[in-house]
Amino acid sequence: MILVFAETQEGKVKKSAFEAVYYGAKVAADQGTTCTALLLGQAADGGHLGRYGASEVLQVDHPSLSAFDSSTFSKVLASVAQDKKATLVILPDSANGKSMLGQVAILLKAGAIRGANALPEIKEGGMEIGRAVFSGKAFAICRVDTGVAVISLAGNTLKPVAEGNEVVVKKVETVVPSPRTRVVNVRRTTGIVPLPEAEIVVSAGRGMKDPSNWGLVEELAEVLGATTACSRPVADSGWRPHHEHVGQTGIAIRPNLYIAIGISGAIQHLAGVNSSKVIVVINKDPEAPFFKAADYGVAGDLFEVVPQLTLALKRFKEAHH
Amino acid sequence: MKLLVAISQTPETTARIAFKDGGTAFDSTGVNYIMNPYDEWYALVRALELKEEKGGTVTVIHCGPATNDVTLRKALAIGADDAIRVEMEPASAYSVAHEIAAHAADAGYDLILTGKETIDFNGALVGSMVAGLLDLPFISHVSKMVMQGDTVLVTRDIEGGVEEIEVSGPFVLSAAKGLAEQRIPNMRGIMSAKTKPLQVVSPVGTDLPDRHIRFSVPPAKSAVKMIDPSDMDTLVRLLHEEAKVI
């Protein structure tokens, strides 16, 4: 069977968990088995996971799971995986998912694949899954022959569709080791889709000239329902927070649409964004290297082009609603 | 404090990425190698700062062939006290983590640091696996760390924000941007690195639970469609009708 760690945030199932369950259910159907989702800690809407293909939703609700401790979460996930004889364990490719991946693989003596970006293939008894390597500059096929694989699923690999029915969440009792770390504070910008999950990203670079001009970027992002990002020089100079920095040494993203404004397109930046399905580049320099990696380009002054694009999108939205 | 920093060697950030032998191996022709930036700029430098604040030693460990000694000498030049190289061709994150854990098991380190991921295989696995093998607490994506008596206050990057975590006793962390500032080795450091201990050890060895079997580079993009800057309605129409992303 296939076990999915359905990550939650503030008591609600995260968007990435629905995608992971949808992916897990697809693999289960291919392999003639079933997909179970596991909730660790409290979650009000766990039953929704059934709609995306989980035939069973389990929940371990214990005070020690009220805040994230990587080791405790990994041990509980691994122990449920062992009980259920899971052959594939799927985690989100989030900060928490990535931090657990190696530990769960060790506990299960399993192969580990970070950032799977396609459905697995079974070949000669082993499981082969694609992933991005060299910070997005290349792809690889990773093979696991141990019989059990633990993977983290890259965001936007499949578009989850609600095809099934709500299920009743089943509580399970298991040993929960005491956490050895203590979360004392969480500071999060609320109401914004995190970058790795965002379907549309609007990103800007040094061409913005000054952080006070960021309103242009935010207005465009708002009309698109997009998450905002920035290039490394912008984060380094403190114009924008580091968690918005996309690129080789920042966050690697693969949205459906990436709009780059005033970013020249250094190879290190491209590495983090070139898995985006469609790239639009707006830059006043027609020789900017980013145009070579773009699907659509606008060679013009961003201070004129971006407001025009925002207006055009508003007209489009009004005409289509 | 007794500190261990796990170090990897990667192609430099601007290296041309190509493969050979029918896409089964990385083509290193003309590629310059560097210390993995997350290991060097953040994990190693923060370890050195802790040593400067609290006293102690910083050991660096690396799994690789003798040609990689240059990377370990650089770590010594930046300020590490001693280096260990496990003589092997690293074949997966697990084989590397297994060697690091075998070395650290009875060595009594207070803290084991590594970068959040390498910029070549981007596995983000070694720190987590070392913690799993040694049953130590693990905190990933650490962008700040402050000692508060016997406890450590750690700031960790999460999606769209940060989390502050207290931990006491030995633990493993993976370092993200912000944890420290890059240091350039000075001439005195480079000279002293030549005589600092660099121990070469044989690998313990292990099975490989996973391996990368084929590589490819993305197909070249078709030519960019340039849109007249005064005609954003056309761009919107193309994004809707042709690209189907809005």
Side-chain angles (χ1 to χ4, degrees):
Chain A
M1 58 82 68
I2 288 159
L3 183 66
V4 176
F5 166 50
E7 190 178 11
T8 56
Q9 183 179 306
E10 287 153 13
K12 287 187 77 176
V13 174
K14 284 179 79 171
K15 181 182 167 226
S16 56
F18 292 110
E19 186 180 352
V21 161
Y22 187 71
Y23 175 97
K26 282 255 176 290
V27 180
D30 283 350
Q31 299 184 359
T33 180
T34 56
C35 173
T36 295
L38 176 66
L39 299 157
L40 299 181
Q42 299 205 335
D45 54 350
H48 290 357
L49 292 160
R51 297 187 198 164
Y52 292 89
S55 57
E56 181 182 45
V57 180
L58 305 178
Q59 180 179 30
V60 182
D61 191 5
H62 186 283
S64 291
L65 297 169
S66 60
F68 182 73
D69 175 87
S70 190
S71 172
T72 297
F73 271 57
S74 298
K75 285 173 183 171
V76 175
L77 175 59
S79 103
V80 173
Q82 271 165 341
D83 285 350
K84 304 287 284 182
K85 298 189 171 55
T87 53
L88 176 64
V89 179
I90 303 170
L91 296 99
D93 197 50
S94 61
N96 290 357
K98 280 183 282 191
S99 85
M100 293 164 68
L101 183 63
Q103 294 170 84
V104 176
I106 293 297
L107 292 163
L108 297 176
K109 298 184 170 53
I113 300 177
R114 183 260 160 127
N117 64 9
L119 289 163
E121 286 185 43
I122 303 293
K123 283 190 179 163
E124 292 148 20
M127 188 180 283
E128 298 185 0
I129 306 187
R131 62 183 295 264
V133 290
F134 293 94
S135 305
K137 290 177 210 160
F139 299 111
I141 301 293
C142 193
R143 182 178 167 90
V144 173
D145 280 304
T146 45
V148 182
V150 185
I151 68 170
S152 69
L153 180 66
N156 295 336
T157 293
L158 295 177
K159 189 164 180 60
V161 184
E163 296 163 331
N165 298 316
E166 195 87 3
V167 296
V168 177
V169 177
K170 203 194 294 178
K171 298 235 171 166
V172 287
E173 298 292 326
T174 185
V175 177
V176 178
S178 292
R180 293 170 291 179
T181 65
R182 196 166 74 87
V183 176
V184 291
N185 190 17
V186 179
R187 292 199 305 274
R188 196 185 274 123
T189 320
T190 51
I192 290 172
V193 181
L195 275 172
E197 294 179 14
E199 288 173 22
I200 303 181
V201 173
V202 175
S203 184
R206 263 186 300 201
M208 295 301 295
K209 295 205 172 90
D210 192 274
S212 64
N213 295 325
W214 228 259
L216 289 180
V217 177
E218 280 159 356
E219 281 162 26
L220 176 58
E222 192 185 336
V223 63
L224 282 165
T227 301
T228 59
C230 68
S231 66
R232 175 172 173 169
V234 163
D236 278 356
S237 56
W239 292 5
R240 302 298 299 170
H242 274 302
H243 63 75
E244 285 192 11
H245 161 205
V246 293
Q248 184 158 268
T249 53
I251 298 171
I253 55 168
R254 50 197 304 248
N256 291 330
L257 174 60
Y258 182 71
I259 302 182
I261 301 165
I263 301 175
S264 63
I267 190 167
Q268 293 93 335
H269 184 79
L270 294 181
V273 304
N274 65 6
S275 297
S276 307
K277 288 196 185 79
V278 173
I279 295 178
V280 175
V281 169
I282 300 169
N283 202 299
K284 71 170 184 236
D285 175 9
E287 302 299 317
F290 214 154
F291 284 118
K292 288 198 178 68
D295 299 279
Y296 301 100
V298 183
D301 180 356
L302 70 89
F303 294 101
E304 286 165 24
V305 170
V306 173
Q308 286 302 320
L309 177 56
T310 305
L311 283 175
L313 280 161
K314 280 183 181 159
R315 284 194 291 274
F316 168 81
K317 294 268 166 180
E318 276 161 23
H320 284 76
H321 278 285
Chain B
M1 291 186 85
K2 195 168 159 155
L3 303 148
L4 179 68
V5 185
I7 289 207
S8 184
Q9 181 177 289
T10 62
E12 65 181 346
T13 55
T14 53
R16 191 184 71 98
I17 304 302
F19 301 96
K20 59 179 184 179
D21 303 337
T24 58
F26 179 65
D27 183 356
S28 60
T29 311
V31 171
N32 291 319
Y33 284 86
I34 57 170
M35 200 184 313
N36 181 47
Y38 293 108
D39 303 343
E40 177 188 334
W41 302 347
Y42 312 124
L44 174 59
V45 175
R46 189 68 187 106
L48 295 171
E49 290 170 353
L50 285 173
K51 175 191 148 179
E52 287 152 13
E53 288 166 31
K54 304 277 168 190
T57 56
V58 174
T59 301
V60 290
I61 185 165
H62 171 70
C63 297
T67 46
N68 299 6
D69 279 349
V70 57
T71 291
L72 283 171
R73 289 286 173 207
K74 185 178 182 194
L76 294 169
I78 295 171
D81 297 288
D82 63 321
I84 297 160
R85 182 171 58 79
V86 185
E87 177 68 51
M88 64 189 279
E89 283 291 343
S92 80
Y94 179 68
S95 61
V96 170
H98 195 262
E99 297 303 328
I100 294 166
H103 162 76
D106 300 312
Y109 289 105
D110 298 299
L111 177 60
I112 301 173
L113 307 92
T114 190
K116 70 165 185 170
E117 64 186 65
T118 60
I119 61 166
D120 51 5
F121 281 83
N122 310 99
L125 287 166
V126 169
S128 180
M129 286 181 163
V130 169
L133 287 162
L134 298 174
D135 192 18
L136 289 173
F138 177 56
I139 305 178
S140 71
H141 305 89
V142 173
S143 56
K144 195 177 171 191
M145 174 171 54
V146 185
M147 310 293 288
Q148 294 179 327
D150 286 341
T151 61
V152 186
L153 183 65
V154 174
T155 304
R156 169 176 185 252
D157 292 349
I158 55 174
E159 287 76 32
V162 295
E163 201 169 60
E164 287 174 340
I165 298 166
E166 276 181 358
V167 60
S168 46
F171 71 104
V172 181
L173 74 77
S174 78
K177 186 170 184 156
L179 184 59
E181 293 282 337
Q182 182 181 6
R183 284 188 187 180
I184 309 295
N186 58 26
M187 191 46 74
R188 208 172 118 228
I190 293 165
M191 295 311 288
S192 69
K194 291 178 181 169
T195 54
K196 284 180 178 173
L198 191 165
Q199 188 192 353
V200 180
V201 299
S202 298
V204 181
T206 178
D207 296 335
L208 277 185
D210 53 63
R211 61 209 153 89
H212 289 77
I213 54 170
R214 279 194 308 283
F215 298 92
S216 58
V217 288
K221 277 246 179 195
S222 49
V224 56
K225 255 186 205 170
M226 295 305 289
I227 316 286
D228 183 337
S230 62
D231 187 12
M232 286 301 97
D233 287 310
T234 295
L235 176 59
V236 171
R237 186 178 55 77
L238 288 169
L239 290 175
H240 179 63
E241 290 174 6
E242 187 178 75
K244 297 186 170 63
V245 288
I246 60 169

